[in-house]
Amino acid sequence: MLTALNAAAGESANVRVADCLGPCERADVVVVGPSPEGRQRGARPVWVARVGTPRVADALAQWTRAGGPGIAEAPPAVLARPSVTGAE
């Protein structure tokens, strides 16, 4: 999964690995942080759970290339994943 996410993200995002971000029972969890412009628009990081397929990795990468939180709407494949509330 990590290889697929790195390949899909390319230059549009930094992929970092952590043992557990808190909600470990909902692996694989990905946090998509907003760009500086997205932050200025009030966006917060978006935690997405159960991201274990190349299709979702591609959708996440597409979203980051389009600007990510606060700039672009999340693709349906991302919106269909459970979000992790209360994380940050």
Side-chain angles (χ1 to χ4, degrees):
M1 178 62 208
L2 182 58
T3 301
L5 191 55
N6 273 311
E11 297 293 320
S12 68
N14 295 319
V15 178
R16 295 184 182 100
V17 177
D19 288 334
C20 178
L21 296 173
C24 298
E25 71 280 359
R26 295 187 180 177
D28 301 314
V29 175
V30 172
V31 181
V32 181
S35 65
E37 182 182 349
R39 279 247 188 230
Q40 287 178 342
R41 294 182 181 189
R44 306 287 298 151
V46 176
W47 293 61
V48 184
R50 299 187 177 120
V51 180
T53 68
R55 181 177 72 85
V56 178
D58 287 340
L60 285 165
Q62 175 187 32
W63 187 26
T64 61
R65 284 192 299 270
I71 305 294
E73 287 292 320
V78 172
L79 293 173
R81 311 306 325 144
S83 63
V84 180
T85 58
E88 258 190 276

